[in-house]
Amino acid sequence: MIQIKDLEKFYRTEEVQTIALNKLSFGVKEGEFVAIMGPSGCGKSTLLNIIGLLDDPDSGSFMFNGEEVSGYSERKRSELRKHNIGFVFQSFNLIDELTVFENVELPLIYTGVKPAERKKRVEEVLEKMQIMHRRNHFPQQLSGGQQQRVAVARAVVNKPKLILADEPTGNLDSTNGNEVMDLLIDLNEAGTTIVMVTHSEHDAKYSHRIIRMLDGQKVTENILA
Amino acid sequence: MLKNYFKIAFRNLLKNKVYSFINISGLAIGMAATMLIGLWIYDELSYNKHFENYDTIAQIYQNESNNGDTETSEAIPRPLEFALREAHNDNFKHIVMSSWNFPWYLKYDEKNINFLGSFMQEGVIDMLSLKIINGKPNGLKDLNSIMLAESTAEKLFGNEDPIGKILKLSDSFEMEVTSVYEDIPDNNSFSDLEFVMPWKFYITWQDWIREAEDHWGNNSFQAFVQINDNTTMEAVTNKIINVKKERSPEEAEFNPEIFLAPMKDWHLRDTYENGVQSGGRIENVWLFGIIGTFVLLLACINFINLSTARSEKRATEVGIRKSIGSHRSQLIFQFLSESFLIVLLSFVLAFGIVLLSLDGFNNLAAKQIVFPWTNYQFWIASILFIFITAILAGSYPALYLSSFNPVAVLKGTFKAGKYSALPRKILVVAQFTVSIALIIGTIVVINQIQYSKDRPVGYDKDSLIQVPVMSAEFSGKKDFMRMQLIESGAVVEMATTSSPTTNVWSNRSGYDWEGKPEGFQEDLAWTAVSYEFVETLGLNLIEGRGFSREFASDSTAVILNETAVKYMNIENPIGKLIRDSDYNDPDPAPPLKIVGVIQDYIVQSPYEPVKQAMYVFDAYENESYYNLRMNPDRSISDNLETIEAVFKRNFPNVPFSYQFVDEEYGAKFRAEERVASLARIFTILAIFISCLGLFGLASFIAEQRTKEIGVRKVLGASVKQLWILLSKDFITLVIIALVIGSPIAYYMMSQWLQKFSYRTDISWTVFALACSGAVLISLLTVSYQAIKAATANPVNSLRTE
């Protein structure tokens, strides 16, 4: 599903240029669950952003579903993104002014799903995430675990082929964290590809494969399953 | 999708009440001001549009040159009519000779009421499309007929049918009411035409009018025309421009040029300089148009600044929406629809403000603007207005907010860059530049009015009244009335004049005197006055004496003003003679002997030099006004009561009316005062809107720097130091605005002052006043937020981590 070859990304400030990704190459197959680990600043979040088509590499090749996407325009990238990719963030990133229901509904609005169908699908996914009873609440009225379940619900409501999770349990206690990991496992078992960035060895163990990074390069790769 | 956008917009409005209030109220005030100005401009531009033949009606004007100066006037001589009809008739649908619109008494039964009316030729009915609602279609056919406006008929006849009834004009001529026409609405020339009588009556009525028939030099009439559809104003002007010159060799020395002033120019472009059309009220239309646009821009700037300042708060939403798959264009649309919503709410509020303030505005602007509920153009303009404002206010924030990089935003590392505040600063400077220019402009206008008001008038205008005595009954009664009035104790002195004290009705030429330069074409303001003229007005004699009953020869005496002596170049004027240049005729007018020279006194414009004037002794009952110097030892109301009683006793059939001379004089400032008070209001609005924006920005900055302030406080900063820290940046912006705005205002106001010969300087105190005012107001605005932030307990701000 994902083929990355010699990917490079630099960050420039006025004085220094830092290498975030240094000739990185690897691939992710459809239905895989890959965890990416490494110390802060090793480039793992940059990688996730590039895979998520939020960011552009400086050089190298990025094939998504057999298509070279590294040179895509902003508009094409967002088209590809909204139909194929769902995001789960460490800090949940829900829109404060929208209710649970409305937050989850948002991706469906952007893909042009009809209102009746939207309602059905949002309710379905809220049911699955066991957050239906909170559908009319605003994010601030929920616990962290509940907020992350809403974020996961929002990421999957469009039935994306790929979910990108950036430290999904980072802001949660272990009970809530485990619940979120269970949700991700369920999704993966249902066929969704998952790429997750994490600091937590515990969480990484849920994956099929762990890629460890340092200074923008892949150092090791452990296959768990 | 739109529903989702509006939902977010509404929730944001409710969540940030202060910002919403500043945004909506600022925009509403700005929009209301712009709407009022828009209505005013529309009203000005629609002047005379009531007339169906608006595009083809014109008035005949003439330029005449005197010693190199060209003067333009609508006063024309009678023979011009015959020349036009004879040689150029094929250009015109109508030529309508007319008298001036003057007050006349119309009497029916017990009612004797003063109405404004004219003597006009029959073509006027078709030319002005007068709508006859009762009586004959042509009510000017018979010599003694009179056509009444609907309101005039109502006042005189009530519910009676006026047609066929006999009225008495000036209590002497019997006129039969032939038709009633619908009133001509306000905001049109002729809206004060309360009745029309036949021109042919007028020309048989008095000797001087009859004799004017072949006098090309007697410019005492006016003519309106309607040109044919197949020609243009310019084409007709080209044909008739030399008609007077060709027909009247005597007048050719004044180089008279006859031209058409189209109806569309009467109201807005009525000023002529040296024979060339040079503006008029159209300048005010531009002025207020610009002010209106600026006020709206100021309000839009508030919106832009507050939206972009708060952008960090909206950044997360932008990032999330982008990561979910929103296009940038969709975000731009979202933010634009949000500003559209806010502008729509502001418009509703502005609409209310306009409805509530329209009466006051009308008062101030001397207008009768009615809210155009049923005018579809108004509603289309309103919708356009909302869209334009929304785009003006919303475009930049939409482009800015939608440009955020989702990666930075969602990682939480997003901070607006070092230069992100720069556009905001530039806009604040722009706002205050406009405000300061407006402040300076308003002060200069007020100064100019005050300066001209402080100009010595040259006579004592307090407790002086003038009573119009143009009715035939007053003839020959002036000495008798003077005695009666002085005996009554209400009046200490009285003199008659042929023009009101505050105007010149007659200008004359055709004189000769010793030392008159070769080829000099004089133009003198001419007033006929009675014996106690100098005493009654309280004029200052420089040389010689006033007219006196002790000198029988004073019946041919004349008094000059200082300017006239210099203008005519007469040395040692007392005793010199001024002759009518017809002294070679078999029956010449007797020469006038100069008996006195008075200090100039202001008769016409207080902004212009006093015109050269001659005051001849009135030996021929030329009086139009009694000027009464009231007894200073009695109250004005007592005096007026007594005076009225004296008039009623002697002229029971003439309603008593009078004018205070100082009020008439004050009226000369009205146009400028109107501009000043409108400018003052819009300036205050501009400052208010700018400060509203500054307040919002200050509160935002204070909020953003809460932690910094907390840390500084913990480290020992005093409230004063923090106040300076927070206020400094804003005051710097205001000072930059001062530096930019002052020269602009100086230049603009110098230009404006050029139109007054008698004008104030723009002194440095104006700038000092404007600058200190602007700094003080902005300091107060910012300080509230600064001090609030500086006195907050640092524990609270530091704990929010």
Side-chain angles (χ1 to χ4, degrees):
Chain A
M1 170 172 238
I2 297 168
Q3 265 313 321
I4 279 171
K5 200 159 182 293
D6 293 339
L7 213 57
E8 282 188 305
K9 180 77 184 172
F10 308 104
Y11 286 110
R12 292 171 195 89
T13 62
E14 274 158 39
E15 293 97 32
V16 284
Q17 173 171 312
T18 18
I19 302 175
L21 296 179
N22 189 0
K23 302 255 179 216
L24 184 71
S25 304
F26 78 97
V28 177
K29 286 197 278 296
E30 199 159 336
E32 240 190 319
F33 186 160
V34 177
I36 299 172
M37 297 192 74
S40 289
C42 72
K44 53 190 191 307
S45 286
T46 307
L47 176 65
L48 203 65
N49 287 333
I50 290 175
I51 297 175
L53 297 165
L54 292 170
D55 212 348
D56 234 358
D58 288 319
S59 71
S61 144
F62 171 26
M63 307 278 282
F64 187 84
N65 268 346
E67 254 179 285
E68 177 62 56
V69 295
S70 58
Y72 266 23
S73 71
E74 168 80 37
R75 175 166 276 272
K76 269 181 130 174
R77 291 213 308 250
S78 74
E79 276 303 315
L80 206 58
R81 192 158 65 220
K82 73 181 173 196
H83 287 112
N84 295 296
I85 305 173
F87 288 90
V88 179
F89 302 96
Q90 175 179 1
S91 50
F92 324 135
N93 280 333
L94 299 172
I95 296 180
D96 289 345
E97 285 74 28
L98 296 181
T99 62
V100 166
F101 184 92
E102 288 159 353
N103 262 294
V104 176
E105 188 189 21
L106 207 52
L108 298 176
I109 294 179
Y110 280 116
T111 42
V113 177
K114 296 268 175 314
E117 170 75 9
R118 286 209 300 259
K119 185 163 184 286
K120 199 181 120 229
R121 275 165 70 174
V122 173
E123 282 175 356
E124 223 172 76
V125 73
L126 287 178
E127 209 69 75
K128 207 152 96 192
M129 301 294 152
Q130 296 166 18
I131 198 84
M132 190 60 183
H133 59 296
R134 295 284 198 173
R135 54 178 302 190
N136 289 325
H137 285 74
F138 285 94
Q140 311 90 289
Q141 298 167 318
L142 304 181
S143 72
Q146 288 170 327
Q147 286 193 46
Q148 196 60 303
R149 290 219 296 275
V150 176
V152 174
R154 188 180 62 189
V156 302
V157 71
N158 235 344
K159 304 203 167 81
K161 296 190 184 72
L162 173 66
I163 285 185
L164 300 175
D166 194 349
E167 305 212 27
T169 62
N171 281 12
L172 300 175
D173 60 37
S174 62
T175 319
N176 278 315
N178 286 339
E179 268 179 45
V180 168
M181 285 316 296
D182 288 340
L183 282 176
L184 290 179
I185 294 292
D186 288 349
L187 287 167
N188 180 244
E189 280 167 1
T192 314
T193 314
I194 296 180
V195 176
M196 174 179 76
V197 164
T198 185
H199 275 301
S200 151
E201 292 287 349
H202 171 262
D203 287 358
K205 285 198 183 97
Y206 286 88
S207 70
H208 302 157
R209 181 152 63 104
I210 301 175
I211 294 173
R212 290 182 198 272
M213 287 178 67
L214 187 66
D215 296 339
Q217 284 174 315
K218 183 171 82 179
V219 266
T220 59
E221 198 171 327
N222 313 21
I223 300 174
L224 303 177
Chain B
M1 188 90 80
L2 207 57
K3 200 176 128 198
N4 183 276
Y5 294 164
F6 280 148
K7 203 158 27 187
I8 290 238
F10 257 121
R11 286 177 191 161
N12 263 315
L13 281 178
L14 289 175
K15 200 164 123 190
N16 305 293
K17 293 198 178 64
V18 176
Y19 292 111
S20 308
F21 173 78
I22 291 175
N23 259 338
I24 293 176
S25 61
L27 268 175
I29 291 168
M31 288 178 91
T34 311
M35 280 166 77
L36 281 174
I37 290 177
L39 286 172
W40 182 84
I41 291 178
Y42 179 78
D43 194 67
E44 286 287 283
L45 295 182
S46 58
Y47 199 88
N48 274 341
K49 290 255 171 81
H50 162 78
F51 298 109
E52 285 167 29
N53 303 320
Y54 174 78
D55 290 320
T56 48
I57 296 177
Q59 182 163 15
I60 296 185
Y61 272 53
Q62 72 170 325
N63 282 332
E64 279 192 299
S65 301
N66 246 321
N67 301 320
D69 290 332
T70 304
E71 280 191 24
T72 305
S73 163
E74 66 270 46
I76 51 129
R78 274 193 64 193
L80 182 62
E81 179 202 353
F82 312 124
L84 290 178
R85 287 197 198 277
E86 182 200 305
H88 302 285
N89 208 26
D90 53 336
N91 295 299
F92 301 106
K93 206 174 250 175
H94 294 292
I95 297 174
V96 177
M97 291 298 291
S98 172
S99 70
W100 307 100
N101 207 37
F102 251 44
W104 298 90
Y105 281 102
L106 298 182
K107 186 176 179 189
Y108 177 72
D109 260 356
E110 293 303 297
K111 290 182 191 152
N112 195 12
I113 308 175
N114 211 328
F115 291 103
L116 284 165
S118 298
F119 296 89
M120 297 173 112
Q121 286 178 325
E122 294 166 24
V124 68
I125 301 168
D126 183 55
M127 181 178 80
L128 299 185
S129 321
L130 290 184
K131 204 169 158 200
I132 306 298
I133 48 179
N134 196 357
K136 297 179 189 167
N138 180 356
L140 297 173
K141 228 174 214 159
D142 304 317
L143 196 64
N144 286 79
S145 51
I146 182 167
M147 294 176 69
L148 304 179
E150 196 180 353
S151 57
T152 311
E154 236 173 67
K155 279 181 203 149
L156 282 168
F157 297 96
N159 293 328
E160 270 180 83
D161 182 7
I163 304 302
K165 299 261 163 41
I166 305 293
L167 284 177
K168 271 185 131 185
L169 170 68
S170 278
D171 214 9
S172 32
F173 303 97
E174 297 199 331
M175 312 296 278
E176 184 186 339
V177 179
T178 46
S179 32
V180 175
Y181 57 89
E182 207 174 79
D183 285 1
I184 296 168
D186 287 324
N187 205 32
N188 288 292
S189 306
F190 305 109
S191 64
D192 53 359
L193 189 69
E194 295 174 303
F195 66 87
V196 190
M197 287 179 289
W199 173 253
K200 52 194 167 203
F201 177 87
Y202 188 61
I203 56 178
T204 58
W205 178 48
Q206 280 188 329
D207 285 349
W208 72 270
I209 306 174
R210 252 194 314 274
E211 285 160 12
E213 186 172 9
D214 53 2
H215 273 205
W216 281 96
N218 190 340
N219 301 312
S220 301
F221 310 92
Q222 38 181 358
F224 301 97
V225 297
Q226 184 184 348
I227 59 168
N228 275 326
D229 292 334
N230 56 9
T231 185
T232 63
M233 299 282 173
E234 294 76 23
V236 177
T237 293
N238 283 334
K239 286 181 191 161
I240 64 171
I241 192 159
N242 290 320
V243 59
K244 184 172 175 183
K245 232 180 292 185
E246 288 159 7
R247 305 255 171 164
S248 168
E250 317 91 80
E251 293 295 318
E253 62 169 315
F254 297 107
N255 190 29
E257 290 180 339
I258 305 296
F259 66 95
L260 298 185
M263 183 178 241
K264 66 178 168 52
D265 290 346
W266 291 357
H267 181 63
L268 291 174
R269 297 180 184 81
D270 60 347
T271 310
Y272 291 84
E273 215 169 287
N274 247 326
V276 183
Q277 209 285 308
S278 69
R281 290 175 70 97
I282 190 74
E283 287 159 22
N284 288 346
V285 170
W286 279 109
L287 176 71
F288 285 112
I290 290 170
I291 292 181
T293 313
F294 273 135
V295 172
L296 185 66
L297 281 180
L298 295 185
C300 288
I301 287 178
N302 278 357
F303 182 90
I304 293 170
N305 278 350
L306 292 179
S307 320
T308 55
R310 290 180 50 240
S311 60
E312 281 179 31
K313 298 206 170 179
R314 292 302 291 276
T316 322
E317 185 189 330
V318 172
I320 295 165
R321 283 182 185 271
K322 279 195 171 175
S323 72
I324 287 172
S326 168
H327 297 307
R328 186 168 178 205
S329 58
Q330 286 172 313
L331 284 164
I332 292 176
F333 185 72
Q334 177 186 348
F335 288 116
L336 273 180
S337 52
E338 219 165 273
S339 51
F340 177 79
L341 179 78
I342 291 174
V343 170
L344 194 68
L345 288 174
S346 308
F347 178 79
V348 173
L349 203 59
F351 198 81
I353 297 173
V354 169
L355 282 182
L356 287 176
S357 58
L358 195 58
D359 277 350
F361 181 76
N362 272 336
N363 242 329
L364 208 65
K367 283 274 179 196
Q368 282 96 29
I369 299 170
V370 182
F371 200 84
W373 292 108
T374 53
N375 185 342
Y376 75 96
Q377 285 172 322
F378 168 79
W379 295 107
I380 292 173
S382 297
I383 291 167
L384 275 177
F385 180 53
I386 294 170
F387 272 97
I388 290 170
T389 312
I391 286 170
L392 222 53
S395 295
Y396 176 70
L399 288 172
Y400 178 71
L401 285 168
S402 65
S403 72
F404 292 149
N405 176 359
V407 177
V409 164
L410 296 179
K411 245 201 253 171
T413 58
F414 175 76
K415 271 269 174 261
K418 197 153 83 181
Y419 298 108
S420 70
L422 191 65
R424 233 163 13 244
K425 288 181 178 171
I426 293 172
L427 289 176
V428 169
V429 169
Q431 268 186 326
F432 274 84
T433 302
V434 171
S435 302
I436 283 156
L438 282 174
I439 297 175
I440 293 172
T442 307
I443 297 177
V444 172
V445 173
I446 292 170
N447 276 359
Q448 167 64 12
I449 294 169
Q450 199 50 50
Y451 181 72
S452 313
K453 278 189 170 171
D454 290 345
R455 181 179 174 188
V457 203
Y459 66 99
D460 181 6
K461 59 184 161 51
D462 299 325
S463 57
L464 185 64
I465 61 169
Q466 50 187 25
V467 180
V469 292
M470 282 155 279
S471 179
E473 294 178 49
F474 290 99
S475 183
K477 297 270 176 63
K478 62 182 169 193
D479 281 331
F480 173 72
M481 281 301 286
R482 174 169 172 267
M483 294 307 297
Q484 295 248 318
L485 285 163
I486 291 175
E487 264 171 33
S488 76
V491 168
V492 290
E493 196 49 277
M494 172 188 131
T496 69
T497 48
S498 59
S499 305
T501 310
T502 50
N503 208 347
V504 174
W505 281 355
S506 184
N507 293 291
R508 299 213 172 167
S509 57
Y511 293 103
D512 243 324
W513 61 91
E514 189 192 317
K516 177 178 178 178
E518 191 67 35
F520 188 77
Q521 296 154 340
E522 70 281 4
D523 171 33
L524 292 152
W526 182 95
T527 312
V529 303
S530 68
Y531 280 116
E532 287 78 16
F533 169 64
V534 171
E535 294 80 358
T536 305
L537 265 62
L539 300 169
N540 301 316
L541 274 168
I542 299 178
E543 268 185 275
R545 56 176 179 83
F547 300 126
S548 164
R549 291 169 196 275
E550 289 164 31
F551 297 88
S553 59
D554 271 6
S555 63
T556 56
V558 62
I559 295 173
L560 299 181
N561 69 2
E562 261 178 291
T563 300
V565 173
K566 278 183 226 134
Y567 173 79
M568 297 167 82
N569 195 20
I570 305 179
E571 275 173 52
N572 302 319
I574 303 301
K576 296 269 165 67
L577 297 181
I578 299 175
R579 298 170 191 279
D580 245 1
S581 47
D582 65 351
Y583 60 89
N584 288 327
D585 288 2
D587 179 24
L592 303 169
K593 188 168 133 192
I594 303 170
V595 296
V597 176
I598 52 164
Q599 205 177 56
D600 287 345
Y601 75 97
I602 303 171
V603 180
Q604 288 167 300
S605 169
Y607 306 114
E608 298 300 321
V610 174
K611 188 177 177 176
Q612 53 281 359
M614 59 195 292
Y615 301 91
V616 303
F617 180 78
D618 185 5
Y620 301 100
E621 307 283 345
N622 266 318
E623 71 261 24
S624 303
Y625 287 94
Y626 287 176
N627 296 277
L628 307 178
R629 168 72 56 200
M630 292 193 286
N631 187 347
D633 300 331
R634 297 174 29 148
S635 76
I636 288 177
S637 54
D638 282 355
N639 282 337
L640 284 173
E641 210 172 295
T642 313
I643 293 167
E644 180 166 8
V646 174
F647 272 85
K648 280 271 165 250
R649 195 166 65 229
N650 290 288
F651 308 102
N653 292 326
V654 184
F656 175 69
S657 71
Y658 64 91
Q659 295 141 4
F660 284 102
V661 171
D662 55 353
E663 278 176 15
E664 293 295 301
Y665 184 79
K668 294 177 186 294
F669 298 96
R670 227 165 264 161
E672 274 70 26
E673 278 176 333
R674 218 167 274 148
V675 172
S677 48
L678 286 178
R680 189 159 43 205
I681 285 187
F682 291 121
T683 302
I684 291 171
L685 287 182
I687 297 167
F688 180 74
I689 292 171
S690 303
C691 285
L692 208 56
L694 205 57
F695 183 82
L697 271 187
S699 72
F700 163 75
I701 299 285
E703 188 184 313
Q704 204 182 33
R705 293 173 79 170
T706 312
K707 192 170 297 157
E708 178 197 338
I709 294 164
V711 172
R712 283 176 188 270
K713 254 192 123 167
V714 170
L715 296 177
S718 69
V719 170
K720 190 178 143 206
Q721 283 166 325
L722 290 172
W723 172 59
I724 292 171
L725 177 83
L726 287 169
S727 309
K728 192 179 65 196
D729 288 351
F730 288 109
I731 300 307
T732 313
L733 297 181
V734 173
I735 289 170
I736 294 173
L738 285 171
V739 172
I740 301 172
S742 302
I744 296 175
Y746 180 80
Y747 174 75
M748 305 252 290
M749 293 323 287
S750 303
Q751 295 295 102
W752 181 76
L753 283 173
Q754 288 303 317
K755 68 175 186 173
F756 305 104
S757 301
Y758 188 82
R759 56 177 176 255
T760 175
D761 303 325
I762 307 178
S763 83
W764 63 271
T765 49
V766 172
F767 296 98
L769 196 66
C771 294
S772 48
V775 171
L776 198 70
I777 291 174
S778 41
L779 198 59
L780 282 176
T781 309
V782 176
S783 293
Y784 172 75
Q785 293 294 347
I787 291 174
K788 197 172 113 186
T791 51
N793 187 347
V795 175
N796 293 330
S797 61
L798 294 178
R799 212 172 25 205
T800 54
E801 185 62 334

